[in-house]
Amino acid sequence: MRLSPTESSSTRPAATPVHPENEDWTCFEQTASLDIKSFFGFESTVEKIAMKQYAGSIKKGKEIIEFYLKELEDEGITHVARWSPSSQTSAHPPPLITSSATAATVSTATDAKDGACGETKAETSLVLQTESLLEMLTGTPEDKLDADYIKRYLGDLTPLQESCLIRLRKWLQETHKGKIPKDEHILRFLRARDFNIDKAREILCQSLTWRKQHQVDYLLETWSSPQVLQDFYTGGWHHHDRDGRPLYILRLGHMDTKGLVRALGEESLLRHVLSINEEGLRRCEENTKVFGRPISCWTCLVDLEGLNMRHLWRPGVKALLRIIEVVEANYPETLGRLLILRAPRVFPVLWTLVSPFIDENTRKKFLIYAGNDYQGPGGLVDYIDKEIIPDFLGGECMCEVPEGGLVPKSMYRTPEELENEDVRLWTETIYQSSSIFKGAPHEIVIEIIDASSVITWDFDVCKGDVVFNIYHSKRAPQPPRKDPLGAHGITSPGGNNVQLIDKSWTLGQDYSMVESPLTCKEGESVQGSHITRWPGFYILQWKFHSMPACSATNLPEWTTSWPRCKFPLTSVKSCTTRRSWDLQTSERLAAMCEV
């Protein structure tokens, strides 16, 4: 494999060219060529890896350019003269840089007094800026965290890092209407982006939306490992390392990755790995209490004895890469150290495939030992107490991690069965599922017997925008007839879409709106309540948020296909106390809208 940068044109001069469409713009170009001869049948995977690395390089170059442009702006530089070869320049070339300071005219004698006054104002402004910076670093009593709390649960933080944590937490409290993560969780995302608040906020919000969409907060209570995983998944928790971090052992060389993928499917393996990460977070909290100091990450020991070319089965590698990508995006800075033992000759091939998908800060935590090198000085005993080293690594501690083995082919499933199982895993949860289309909302009805009852709602918008309405009717809406083709002649993906308001009903006569329409944006958690004024039937409606006609006319033709929305819904429970009828969801109500 060869990846080499090339010039876009052999005749182009060495200087950065002028943009062809505007002479006042500078054109930056970057190209590359990729020539893959042979790579063990993974040519397409390697190509994707190279493209990802190349895209990252372009993004990094753009960030560097924008950084220095910002530096010029901060210095007041407004113009940079066009570069010309030295042979064409005169003995006294014009100044290359023009700033607001150099562009100013020289003050006359009559302006001297005003100039002195301006200097005084500038000095005062500088003093105020300095005081503002010191205040941000040191913090006010209301904005500072308790020193004992930091030392006990968060670890050493500089004043600037503490300020970043407080500011990001306040932003979440003001804008995020759902569950606010703990300081430890927020701190992991800040550390993963070197305390750049904007970058940390972006990946944190994406992760919070992902957790709602896939109900990760409930994973430890709802996920039960299939028997196949209990028998053949060669991983498990084993005491802790010398730093008090929970220790997870994975005997990857003894794992039948092909058998597990063929017997369970990719989603089951992903969910199992997510449950391991959630368990790791829980164990970190427990160890923080036990050892009396902050423990925010765990140690993973990977034994590669037995790893060979059969582990490079393409669907298995694909599943591994997806798992790494999901974990990297949603569990940053949770791995304290990764010890790779007994790496065989085939390991460099696997490492070449997976390393580009691992964050650079995470790769720095990898320690790789070939053969029995881990038994000598600087080996395993430097990180794990001798008395808890597993017996299969030369220690005396009995380890309960399964030894694995080949999964019987009788347990393999067909591709159709695995696809159905993947769908079932994400729908048979504490939520119910529904799908909505443009012009086909999802509705539920609540019967109110006494006036002055309270209806409450709590739902999450995971993707897209929806409009939430509440209507009242004196007569009960009739359940819709089952139409195998759906309201628009196409099958509903969710299968639980319900429309209760009859098309013959007239708004204002047969039913009325009791709340103003509420537009719910993507990523929002929406809570609210309504006090009923009359008995009867109240219809809660979620419908697709259509764009204005003026915007839709300029869209490409493919956007006219049916919008699809999914609503994982919870059941509605009621509780009667005298004349009060309290209706509320038993769990969170999530909504996802895809176009």
Side-chain angles (χ1 to χ4, degrees):
M1 183 182 70
R2 184 176 75 250
L3 178 64
S4 59
T6 61
E7 292 291 334
S8 59
S9 174
S10 58
T11 60
R12 188 175 298 278
T16 305
V18 176
H19 196 280
E21 298 179 2
N22 191 331
E23 293 186 355
D24 294 332
W25 295 351
T26 303
C27 183
F28 295 92
E29 296 183 3
Q30 183 178 0
T31 60
S33 64
L34 178 65
D35 184 15
I36 303 176
K37 300 299 185 182
S38 177
F39 203 80
F40 304 98
F42 290 96
E43 289 81 6
S44 61
T45 303
V46 174
E47 182 179 1
K48 293 179 182 179
I49 294 173
M51 292 304 298
K52 182 175 181 179
Q53 293 289 86
Y54 181 58
S57 176
I58 294 177
K59 183 178 180 181
K60 190 66 177 179
K62 181 181 178 183
E63 291 179 356
I64 294 174
I65 293 172
E66 291 178 344
F67 173 80
Y68 284 106
L69 289 177
K70 182 67 167 55
E71 289 285 309
L72 293 175
E73 290 180 358
D74 293 342
E75 294 176 8
I77 297 173
T78 59
H79 176 73
V80 178
R82 183 181 298 180
W83 177 87
S84 59
S86 56
S87 60
Q88 299 179 5
T89 58
S90 61
H92 302 284
L96 295 180
I97 297 177
T98 304
S99 67
S100 57
T102 58
T105 58
V106 180
S107 301
T108 61
T110 56
D111 295 331
K113 187 174 182 179
D114 294 336
C117 188
E119 291 179 2
T120 304
K121 292 180 179 179
E123 292 176 359
T124 304
S125 176
L126 180 60
V127 172
L128 291 176
Q129 292 178 5
T130 304
E131 292 178 351
S132 177
L133 178 61
L134 290 174
E135 182 180 356
M136 184 188 74
L137 293 177
T138 58
T140 61
E142 295 78 11
D143 293 337
K144 291 188 65 175
L145 297 173
D146 183 75
D148 293 337
Y149 168 76
I150 295 177
K151 182 179 179 180
R152 180 69 174 80
Y153 295 101
L154 303 181
D156 295 331
L157 294 178
T158 65
L160 182 59
Q161 292 172 346
E162 181 183 345
S163 174
C164 291
L165 173 60
I166 295 173
R167 289 160 58 193
L168 184 52
R169 184 179 63 182
K170 282 187 175 181
W171 181 87
L172 288 172
Q173 292 171 344
E174 294 172 356
T175 61
H176 191 75
K177 299 179 181 179
K179 181 181 178 182
I180 303 299
K182 297 180 179 180
D183 288 343
E184 299 92 315
H185 193 74
I186 300 175
L187 199 55
R188 290 189 180 97
F189 286 85
L190 283 169
R191 284 171 173 155
R193 291 298 180 267
D194 297 325
F195 286 88
N196 184 310
I197 292 184
D198 293 334
K199 294 182 178 180
R201 178 170 53 199
E202 179 181 357
I203 61 174
L204 176 57
C205 290
Q206 292 175 355
S207 180
L208 293 177
T209 301
W210 171 83
R211 293 182 71 89
K212 294 176 186 176
Q213 180 178 344
H214 298 290
Q215 307 158 40
V216 181
D217 290 336
Y218 307 99
L219 193 58
L220 292 180
E221 291 77 17
T222 59
W223 170 248
S224 178
S225 299
Q227 192 62 41
V228 180
L229 280 175
Q230 298 179 25
D231 295 338
F232 297 98
Y233 189 87
T234 56
W237 294 99
H238 181 76
H239 300 284
H240 54 80
D241 67 2
R242 288 184 178 272
D243 296 322
R245 299 166 175 166
L247 175 63
Y248 189 84
I249 295 180
L250 180 65
R251 305 183 69 178
L252 186 59
H254 286 220
M255 187 182 298
D256 181 12
T257 54
K258 179 178 181 180
L260 290 175
V261 172
R262 293 288 300 272
L264 294 172
E266 189 175 307
E267 292 297 334
S268 291
L269 286 175
L270 174 59
R271 180 166 290 203
H272 184 65
V273 173
L274 294 180
S275 69
I276 293 173
N277 281 271
E278 290 296 306
E279 175 67 17
L281 293 176
R282 188 185 66 81
R283 287 175 177 261
C284 285
E285 292 182 1
E286 292 180 351
N287 285 18
T288 296
K289 298 176 182 178
V290 172
F291 292 96
R293 63 178 185 273
I295 297 175
S296 59
C297 52
W298 58 83
T299 295
C300 184
L301 188 154
V302 181
D303 180 21
L304 295 183
E305 184 189 39
L307 186 76
N308 52 46
M309 290 301 296
R310 70 181 176 86
H311 289 89
L312 300 182
W313 181 58
R314 193 173 304 177
V317 174
K318 174 177 172 290
L320 176 61
L321 294 179
R322 185 191 171 201
I323 290 173
I324 291 175
E325 188 174 11
V326 173
V327 172
E328 280 286 304
N330 298 283
Y331 297 93
E333 295 297 318
T334 53
L335 180 65
R337 185 180 294 114
L338 181 66
L339 303 170
I340 300 178
L341 308 184
R342 299 196 279 195
R345 297 180 63 182
V346 73
F347 173 72
V349 179
L350 180 62
W351 178 250
T352 301
L353 293 173
V354 303
S355 60
F357 293 86
I358 302 175
D359 184 75
E360 182 180 356
N361 291 334
T362 304
R363 290 200 299 266
K364 294 178 181 178
K365 303 172 184 178
F366 284 37
L367 297 173
I368 304 174
Y369 299 89
N372 294 323
D373 293 345
Y374 69 93
Q375 295 180 347
L380 199 57
V381 292
D382 287 358
Y383 308 103
I384 302 176
D385 291 333
K386 185 176 181 180
E387 56 269 18
I388 66 170
I389 294 179
D391 51 349
F392 59 84
L393 293 176
E396 300 179 355
C397 184
M398 296 297 295
C399 184
E400 297 180 357
V401 175
E403 295 184 1
L406 296 177
V407 178
K409 292 186 177 180
S410 59
M411 306 181 81
Y412 286 11
R413 298 186 184 184
T414 63
E416 292 78 12
E417 291 175 335
L418 291 176
E419 184 177 356
N420 294 334
E421 177 66 15
D422 291 345
V423 174
R424 184 192 67 81
L425 282 175
W426 295 115
T427 55
E428 284 190 6
T429 59
I430 61 174
Y431 296 93
Q432 300 175 13
S433 298
S434 183
S435 300
I436 68 172
F437 297 82
K438 189 175 182 180
H442 179 77
E443 299 163 344
I444 62 173
V445 62
I446 300 173
E447 183 179 4
I448 296 297
I449 300 176
D450 298 325
S452 300
S453 300
V454 179
I455 302 175
T456 63
W457 55 85
D458 185 355
F459 60 91
D460 299 327
V461 183
C462 296
K463 191 173 184 182
D465 299 343
V466 297
V467 178
F468 177 65
N469 288 303
I470 302 180
Y471 300 101
H472 171 262
S473 176
K474 293 182 179 179
R475 56 172 172 161
Q478 297 299 320
R481 294 180 301 173
K482 291 186 178 181
D483 184 359
L485 295 179
H488 294 279
I490 54 180
T491 305
S492 172
N496 291 330
N497 177 267
V498 178
Q499 300 177 62
L500 299 172
I501 299 178
D502 194 278
K503 293 182 178 180
S504 63
W505 283 17
T506 302
L507 183 62
Q509 297 180 4
D510 301 287
Y511 67 109
S512 60
M513 182 180 294
V514 298
E515 287 275 358
S516 299
L518 178 63
T519 301
C520 309
K521 299 296 184 180
E522 179 177 324
E524 286 187 345
S525 293
V526 183
Q527 301 87 25
S529 61
H530 173 76
I531 302 176
T532 63
R533 297 178 60 186
W534 316 280
F537 299 90
Y538 286 79
I539 302 170
L540 278 61
Q541 179 193 77
W542 293 263
K543 68 178 182 180
F544 180 77
H545 178 53
S546 301
M547 290 176 292
C550 58
S551 302
T553 54
N554 298 325
L555 295 178
E557 183 178 356
W558 61 266
T559 58
T560 58
S561 59
W562 296 116
R564 180 161 57 90
C565 303
K566 293 182 179 179
F567 283 82
L569 301 175
T570 60
S571 60
V572 178
K573 293 186 177 181
S574 61
C575 176
T576 305
T577 57
R578 296 182 181 179
R579 295 181 57 83
S580 174
W581 189 285
D582 184 14
L583 298 160
Q584 59 183 6
T585 53
S586 58
E587 296 289 349
R588 298 190 62 78
L589 178 80
M592 177 175 64
C593 174
E594 298 178 359
V595 180

